[in-house]
Amino acid sequence: MEMSRILTGASILITLTLLVSSVSAHNITKILAEHPDFSTFNHYLTETHLAQEINSRQTITVCAVDNAGMSELLSKHLSLFALKNVLSFHILLDYFGAKKLHQITDGTALAATMFQATGSATGSSGFVNITDYKGGKVRLGAEDNDGTLSSEYVKSVKEIPYNISVIQISKILSSPEAEAPTPGPAQVNLTELMSKQGCKVFADLLVSSGAYATFQENADGGLTVFCPLDDPMKAFQPKYDNLTDDGKVALLSYHALPTYNSMQMLKQNNGIVNTLATDGGKTYQFTVQNDGESVTLKTKTVTAKITGKLIDEMPLAIYTISKVLLPKELFKKALAPTPAPAPAPGKAADSPKKAKGDKDEDLAPEPMSPDGEPADLEADDNGSIRSSGGRWVSVVLGVWLAAYLLV
């Protein structure tokens, strides 16, 4: 009986460990930062915004090259967009740890890459051939490269089964199609694009407030804009007019992130995000959440839904949203619920009644931590968001397990 209890407890502990590990996200920038030999590779993953895409995926292998290998690639003087294609060819959409590389079925495997997933690759040009040779050597090369496998597996850098594997390969994988000249996106007139697609009021306010300059400055390095449609923007206009000049700029800047985020990245990177209005002690943050294919932006006073896409081409993404985002820094009064009258002696207070059209979230404000952020989210040193739900699962199940074993 006692042995059965111990075995059952051990089973629960294993389940708990797996559950906790499943909520921990990887961070490719942090992983490579521990290895100075990959500093150039790491730098260009950030410059091309591939680091964000890597972090947003659950099962992936990064084939890293050292600084010498990157120097050879940089000597070709490719554009940043062509460089992104080449590096995305080094990101395999499957998990290949050291053990799996040496146990490939029939000795050869074809792995799809992030370059293939972009749709820019034709035929099989976005696939990498991985072949396990006798003697323990594993070689890699582009599938469309006449069978030439020019690079060799060197070592495993980091493995988090079966989430991410970072391996070192001897040299850059040669891919003529990935290295082909790739033009950058044409210079986009943000306000013109918004005006033509249902966001004219927001676009006009960007210009009249002076906030447009900040948007334009960030467009080349990475920018995501959430543009309220004209109807909700018109309804909000009276409140906007009552703001100070600085408040107007802050509110408009609150509708943009200083990084590029594809729709896929928004769906997979849920959590608190900084905005163009974020500055020092002024947080101006909101929470990105998704429910299946639907993505919402949640402040302390309103929840807006992404309703459409105007453009999504690295480094710029512009989406339409259903409501104006209201930062708590400008609309604190809206956060304070009206005090209910004290109940008569001996009589319990009635629960607030929901009026027709009211939502549950309007009656029950979201619990907040002392710093005003949702209590179940926290940021790591790199600004990545992780859920602390796994920690609470550990505490609760750990206590239960201890009680179980002591009975």
Side-chain angles (χ1 to χ4, degrees), residues 307-352:
T307 58
K309 177 182 69 178
L310 304 189
I311 186 173
D312 181 1
E313 182 178 358
M314 198 279 287
L316 175 66
I318 303 178
Y319 306 99
T320 56
I321 56 176
S322 59
K323 297 179 182 179
V324 178
L325 300 176
L326 306 180
K328 62 183 177 65
E329 289 80 1
L330 296 177
F331 298 92
K332 289 182 180 179
K333 290 183 179 180
L335 292 175
T338 302
K347 182 179 180 180
D350 293 333
S351 299

Short mmCIF file of all heavy atoms in Angstrom, two decimals, residues 307-352:
data_model
loop_
_atom_site.label_atom_id
_atom_site.label_comp_id
_atom_site.label_asym_id
_atom_site.label_seq_id
_atom_site.Cartn_x
_atom_site.Cartn_y
_atom_site.Cartn_z
N THR A 307 -9.72 43.67 -36.48
CA THR A 307 -10.76 43.36 -37.46
C THR A 307 -10.25 43.19 -38.89
O THR A 307 -10.96 42.68 -39.74
CB THR A 307 -11.82 44.47 -37.46
OG1 THR A 307 -11.19 45.73 -37.76
CG2 THR A 307 -12.50 44.58 -36.09
N GLY A 308 -9.03 43.65 -39.16
CA GLY A 308 -8.53 43.54 -40.52
C GLY A 308 -7.06 43.91 -40.61
O GLY A 308 -6.43 44.31 -39.64
N LYS A 309 -6.51 43.79 -41.82
CA LYS A 309 -5.10 44.07 -42.06
C LYS A 309 -4.96 45.03 -43.23
O LYS A 309 -5.53 44.80 -44.30
CB LYS A 309 -4.36 42.76 -42.35
CG LYS A 309 -2.89 42.92 -42.71
CD LYS A 309 -2.26 41.57 -43.03
CE LYS A 309 -2.80 41.00 -44.33
NZ LYS A 309 -2.15 39.71 -44.69
N LEU A 310 -4.21 46.10 -43.03
CA LEU A 310 -3.92 47.04 -44.11
C LEU A 310 -2.62 46.67 -44.81
O LEU A 310 -2.52 46.76 -46.03
CB LEU A 310 -3.83 48.47 -43.58
CG LEU A 310 -5.05 49.01 -42.82
CD1 LEU A 310 -4.88 50.50 -42.55
CD2 LEU A 310 -6.33 48.75 -43.59
N ILE A 311 -1.63 46.27 -44.03
CA ILE A 311 -0.34 45.83 -44.59
C ILE A 311 0.36 44.96 -43.56
O ILE A 311 0.27 45.20 -42.36
CB ILE A 311 0.55 47.05 -44.98
CG1 ILE A 311 1.83 46.57 -45.70
CG2 ILE A 311 0.90 47.88 -43.75
CD1 ILE A 311 2.67 47.72 -46.27
N ASP A 312 1.05 43.94 -44.01
CA ASP A 312 1.85 43.08 -43.14
C ASP A 312 3.06 42.63 -43.94
O ASP A 312 3.07 41.57 -44.55
CB ASP A 312 1.03 41.88 -42.66
CG ASP A 312 1.82 40.97 -41.72
OD1 ASP A 312 2.98 41.30 -41.43
OD2 ASP A 312 1.28 39.93 -41.30
N GLU A 313 4.05 43.49 -43.97
CA GLU A 313 5.26 43.23 -44.74
C GLU A 313 6.44 43.78 -43.95
O GLU A 313 6.57 44.99 -43.78
CB GLU A 313 5.18 43.90 -46.12
CG GLU A 313 6.38 43.62 -47.01
CD GLU A 313 6.24 44.26 -48.39
OE1 GLU A 313 5.19 44.89 -48.65
OE2 GLU A 313 7.18 44.15 -49.17
N MET A 314 7.26 42.88 -43.40
CA MET A 314 8.37 43.28 -42.57
C MET A 314 9.14 44.45 -43.23
O MET A 314 9.46 44.40 -44.40
CB MET A 314 9.30 42.07 -42.40
CG MET A 314 10.29 42.17 -41.22
SD MET A 314 11.77 43.13 -41.50
CE MET A 314 12.70 42.06 -42.57
N PRO A 315 9.34 45.57 -42.52
CA PRO A 315 9.24 45.77 -41.06
C PRO A 315 7.96 46.49 -40.61
O PRO A 315 7.94 47.04 -39.51
CB PRO A 315 10.45 46.65 -40.78
CG PRO A 315 10.54 47.53 -41.98
CD PRO A 315 10.10 46.67 -43.15
N LEU A 316 6.89 46.50 -41.43
CA LEU A 316 5.70 47.28 -41.10
C LEU A 316 4.44 46.43 -41.12
O LEU A 316 4.21 45.65 -42.05
CB LEU A 316 5.54 48.44 -42.09
CG LEU A 316 4.29 49.30 -41.97
CD1 LEU A 316 4.28 50.06 -40.65
CD2 LEU A 316 4.19 50.28 -43.14
N ALA A 317 3.61 46.58 -40.09
CA ALA A 317 2.29 45.93 -40.05
C ALA A 317 1.28 46.94 -39.53
O ALA A 317 1.54 47.63 -38.55
CB ALA A 317 2.32 44.70 -39.16
N ILE A 318 0.14 47.05 -40.22
CA ILE A 318 -0.94 47.94 -39.78
C ILE A 318 -2.23 47.14 -39.77
O ILE A 318 -2.61 46.54 -40.78
CB ILE A 318 -1.10 49.17 -40.70
CG1 ILE A 318 0.21 49.96 -40.80
CG2 ILE A 318 -2.22 50.08 -40.18
CD1 ILE A 318 0.13 51.16 -41.73
N TYR A 319 -2.92 47.12 -38.62
CA TYR A 319 -4.17 46.39 -38.47
C TYR A 319 -5.28 47.36 -38.06
O TYR A 319 -5.03 48.35 -37.37
CB TYR A 319 -4.04 45.30 -37.40
CG TYR A 319 -2.88 44.35 -37.62
CD1 TYR A 319 -1.68 44.52 -36.93
CD2 TYR A 319 -2.98 43.30 -38.52
CE1 TYR A 319 -0.61 43.65 -37.13
CE2 TYR A 319 -1.92 42.43 -38.73
CZ TYR A 319 -0.74 42.62 -38.03
OH TYR A 319 0.33 41.76 -38.24
N THR A 320 -6.51 47.06 -38.47
CA THR A 320 -7.65 47.85 -38.01
C THR A 320 -8.21 47.21 -36.74
O THR A 320 -8.16 45.98 -36.58
CB THR A 320 -8.76 47.91 -39.07
OG1 THR A 320 -9.16 46.58 -39.44
CG2 THR A 320 -8.26 48.64 -40.32
N ILE A 321 -8.73 48.04 -35.83
CA ILE A 321 -9.31 47.54 -34.58
C ILE A 321 -10.69 48.15 -34.37
O ILE A 321 -11.01 49.20 -34.93
CB ILE A 321 -8.40 47.82 -33.37
CG1 ILE A 321 -8.09 49.31 -33.24
CG2 ILE A 321 -7.12 47.02 -33.46
CD1 ILE A 321 -7.27 49.67 -32.00
N SER A 322 -11.47 47.49 -33.53
CA SER A 322 -12.89 47.84 -33.38
C SER A 322 -13.15 49.00 -32.42
O SER A 322 -14.22 49.59 -32.45
CB SER A 322 -13.66 46.61 -32.89
OG SER A 322 -13.14 46.16 -31.64
N LYS A 323 -12.18 49.31 -31.54
CA LYS A 323 -12.38 50.37 -30.55
C LYS A 323 -11.11 51.18 -30.38
O LYS A 323 -10.02 50.74 -30.75
CB LYS A 323 -12.78 49.77 -29.19
CG LYS A 323 -14.10 49.01 -29.18
CD LYS A 323 -14.37 48.45 -27.78
CE LYS A 323 -15.66 47.65 -27.75
NZ LYS A 323 -15.92 47.08 -26.39
N VAL A 324 -11.26 52.36 -29.80
CA VAL A 324 -10.11 53.18 -29.44
C VAL A 324 -9.52 52.62 -28.15
O VAL A 324 -10.24 52.33 -27.20
CB VAL A 324 -10.51 54.66 -29.25
CG1 VAL A 324 -9.31 55.50 -28.82
CG2 VAL A 324 -11.13 55.21 -30.53
N LEU A 325 -8.20 52.46 -28.11
CA LEU A 325 -7.52 51.96 -26.92
C LEU A 325 -7.35 53.09 -25.90
O LEU A 325 -6.84 54.16 -26.24
CB LEU A 325 -6.15 51.39 -27.29
CG LEU A 325 -6.15 50.22 -28.29
CD1 LEU A 325 -4.72 49.82 -28.64
CD2 LEU A 325 -6.91 49.02 -27.72
N LEU A 326 -7.78 52.84 -24.67
CA LEU A 326 -7.73 53.87 -23.64
C LEU A 326 -6.69 53.51 -22.58
O LEU A 326 -6.90 52.60 -21.79
CB LEU A 326 -9.11 54.02 -22.97
CG LEU A 326 -10.30 54.27 -23.91
CD1 LEU A 326 -11.57 54.40 -23.10
CD2 LEU A 326 -10.06 55.52 -24.75
N PRO A 327 -5.57 54.23 -22.52
CA PRO A 327 -4.55 53.93 -21.51
C PRO A 327 -4.98 54.41 -20.13
O PRO A 327 -5.60 55.46 -19.99
CB PRO A 327 -3.33 54.72 -22.01
CG PRO A 327 -3.91 55.84 -22.81
CD PRO A 327 -5.15 55.29 -23.46
N LYS A 328 -4.65 53.63 -19.11
CA LYS A 328 -5.03 54.00 -17.74
C LYS A 328 -4.34 55.29 -17.30
O LYS A 328 -4.83 55.99 -16.42
CB LYS A 328 -4.70 52.87 -16.77
CG LYS A 328 -3.23 52.50 -16.66
CD LYS A 328 -3.03 51.31 -15.71
CE LYS A 328 -1.57 50.87 -15.64
NZ LYS A 328 -0.70 51.88 -15.06
N GLU A 329 -3.20 55.62 -17.92
CA GLU A 329 -2.50 56.84 -17.57
C GLU A 329 -3.30 58.09 -17.90
O GLU A 329 -3.11 59.15 -17.29
CB GLU A 329 -1.14 56.90 -18.29
CG GLU A 329 -0.11 55.92 -17.79
CD GLU A 329 -0.29 54.52 -18.35
OE1 GLU A 329 -1.23 54.29 -19.15
OE2 GLU A 329 0.50 53.63 -17.99
N LEU A 330 -4.20 57.99 -18.88
CA LEU A 330 -5.00 59.15 -19.29
C LEU A 330 -6.45 59.04 -18.83
O LEU A 330 -7.16 60.06 -18.79
CB LEU A 330 -4.98 59.30 -20.82
CG LEU A 330 -3.63 59.60 -21.46
CD1 LEU A 330 -3.77 59.64 -22.97
CD2 LEU A 330 -3.05 60.91 -20.94
N PHE A 331 -6.91 57.84 -18.51
CA PHE A 331 -8.32 57.64 -18.18
C PHE A 331 -8.47 56.89 -16.86
O PHE A 331 -9.19 55.91 -16.76
CB PHE A 331 -9.03 56.88 -19.31
CG PHE A 331 -9.02 57.63 -20.61
CD1 PHE A 331 -8.01 57.42 -21.54
CD2 PHE A 331 -9.99 58.58 -20.90
CE1 PHE A 331 -7.98 58.12 -22.74
CE2 PHE A 331 -9.96 59.29 -22.09
CZ PHE A 331 -8.96 59.06 -23.01
N LYS A 332 -7.77 57.38 -15.83
CA LYS A 332 -7.82 56.72 -14.52
C LYS A 332 -9.22 56.76 -13.91
O LYS A 332 -9.65 55.85 -13.23
CB LYS A 332 -6.83 57.39 -13.57
CG LYS A 332 -5.38 57.10 -13.92
CD LYS A 332 -4.45 57.74 -12.91
CE LYS A 332 -2.99 57.45 -13.25
NZ LYS A 332 -2.06 58.08 -12.29
N LYS A 333 -9.95 57.85 -14.16
CA LYS A 333 -11.28 57.97 -13.57
C LYS A 333 -12.20 56.86 -14.04
O LYS A 333 -13.08 56.43 -13.33
CB LYS A 333 -11.88 59.34 -13.90
CG LYS A 333 -11.18 60.49 -13.18
CD LYS A 333 -11.85 61.82 -13.49
CE LYS A 333 -11.17 62.96 -12.76
NZ LYS A 333 -11.82 64.27 -13.05
N ALA A 334 -11.99 56.43 -15.26
CA ALA A 334 -12.85 55.37 -15.79
C ALA A 334 -12.61 54.05 -15.07
O ALA A 334 -13.43 53.16 -15.10
CB ALA A 334 -12.59 55.19 -17.28
N LEU A 335 -11.44 53.95 -14.39
CA LEU A 335 -11.13 52.70 -13.69
C LEU A 335 -11.81 52.61 -12.33
O LEU A 335 -11.99 51.53 -11.79
CB LEU A 335 -9.61 52.61 -13.46
CG LEU A 335 -8.75 52.44 -14.71
CD1 LEU A 335 -7.29 52.50 -14.32
CD2 LEU A 335 -9.06 51.13 -15.39
N ALA A 336 -12.15 53.75 -11.75
CA ALA A 336 -12.69 53.76 -10.39
C ALA A 336 -14.19 53.51 -10.42
O ALA A 336 -14.95 54.31 -10.94
CB ALA A 336 -12.40 55.10 -9.73
N PRO A 337 -14.67 52.36 -9.87
CA PRO A 337 -16.11 52.09 -9.86
C PRO A 337 -16.82 53.03 -8.90
O PRO A 337 -16.27 53.47 -7.91
CB PRO A 337 -16.18 50.63 -9.37
CG PRO A 337 -14.92 50.45 -8.58
CD PRO A 337 -13.89 51.31 -9.24
N THR A 338 -18.05 53.38 -9.25
CA THR A 338 -18.85 54.25 -8.39
C THR A 338 -19.21 53.50 -7.12
O THR A 338 -19.74 52.39 -7.18
CB THR A 338 -20.14 54.66 -9.11
OG1 THR A 338 -19.79 55.31 -10.33
CG2 THR A 338 -20.97 55.59 -8.24
N PRO A 339 -18.91 54.10 -5.92
CA PRO A 339 -19.21 53.38 -4.66
C PRO A 339 -20.69 53.09 -4.53
O PRO A 339 -21.54 53.94 -4.81
CB PRO A 339 -18.73 54.36 -3.59
CG PRO A 339 -17.80 55.29 -4.29
CD PRO A 339 -18.30 55.40 -5.69
N ALA A 340 -21.02 51.87 -4.13
CA ALA A 340 -22.42 51.50 -3.94
C ALA A 340 -22.88 52.01 -2.58
O ALA A 340 -22.09 52.09 -1.63
CB ALA A 340 -22.57 49.98 -4.02
N PRO A 341 -24.15 52.40 -2.44
CA PRO A 341 -24.65 52.86 -1.14
C PRO A 341 -24.56 51.74 -0.10
O PRO A 341 -24.72 50.56 -0.43
CB PRO A 341 -26.10 53.24 -1.43
CG PRO A 341 -26.46 52.46 -2.66
CD PRO A 341 -25.20 52.40 -3.47
N ALA A 342 -24.30 52.11 1.15
CA ALA A 342 -24.16 51.10 2.21
C ALA A 342 -25.50 50.39 2.40
O ALA A 342 -26.56 51.02 2.37
CB ALA A 342 -23.73 51.78 3.51
N PRO A 343 -25.47 49.07 2.57
CA PRO A 343 -26.73 48.33 2.76
C PRO A 343 -27.35 48.67 4.11
O PRO A 343 -26.67 49.08 5.05
CB PRO A 343 -26.28 46.87 2.70
CG PRO A 343 -24.84 46.90 3.12
CD PRO A 343 -24.30 48.19 2.59
N ALA A 344 -28.66 48.52 4.18
CA ALA A 344 -29.36 48.77 5.44
C ALA A 344 -28.89 47.77 6.47
O ALA A 344 -28.50 46.65 6.14
CB ALA A 344 -30.87 48.63 5.22
N PRO A 345 -28.87 48.18 7.76
CA PRO A 345 -28.41 47.26 8.82
C PRO A 345 -29.16 45.93 8.77
O PRO A 345 -30.38 45.89 8.66
CB PRO A 345 -28.74 48.03 10.11
CG PRO A 345 -28.77 49.47 9.70
CD PRO A 345 -29.31 49.48 8.31
N GLY A 346 -28.35 44.84 8.84
CA GLY A 346 -28.96 43.51 8.87
C GLY A 346 -29.34 42.99 7.51
O GLY A 346 -29.87 41.90 7.38
N LYS A 347 -29.07 43.77 6.44
CA LYS A 347 -29.46 43.34 5.11
C LYS A 347 -28.23 43.31 4.22
O LYS A 347 -27.52 44.30 4.12
CB LYS A 347 -30.51 44.29 4.52
CG LYS A 347 -30.99 43.85 3.13
CD LYS A 347 -32.04 44.82 2.61
CE LYS A 347 -32.53 44.42 1.23
NZ LYS A 347 -33.54 45.34 0.70
N ALA A 348 -27.99 42.18 3.59
CA ALA A 348 -26.81 42.05 2.73
C ALA A 348 -27.01 42.90 1.48
O ALA A 348 -28.12 43.04 0.98
CB ALA A 348 -26.61 40.57 2.35
N ALA A 349 -25.89 43.45 0.98
CA ALA A 349 -25.97 44.26 -0.24
C ALA A 349 -26.29 43.36 -1.42
O ALA A 349 -25.80 42.25 -1.53
CB ALA A 349 -24.64 44.97 -0.46
N ASP A 350 -27.16 43.88 -2.31
CA ASP A 350 -27.49 43.12 -3.51
C ASP A 350 -26.32 43.12 -4.46
O ASP A 350 -25.54 44.07 -4.51
CB ASP A 350 -28.72 43.74 -4.20
CG ASP A 350 -29.98 43.57 -3.36
OD1 ASP A 350 -30.01 42.60 -2.57
OD2 ASP A 350 -30.88 44.43 -3.48
N SER A 351 -26.22 42.07 -5.24
CA SER A 351 -25.20 42.05 -6.28
C SER A 351 -25.56 43.07 -7.34
O SER A 351 -26.74 43.31 -7.60
CB SER A 351 -25.13 40.64 -6.93
OG SER A 351 -24.80 39.69 -5.95
N PRO A 352 -24.54 43.69 -7.97
CA PRO A 352 -24.85 44.67 -9.02
C PRO A 352 -25.62 44.00 -10.14
O PRO A 352 -25.28 42.90 -10.57
CB PRO A 352 -23.47 45.15 -9.47
CG PRO A 352 -22.52 44.08 -9.03
CD PRO A 352 -23.11 43.50 -7.79
#
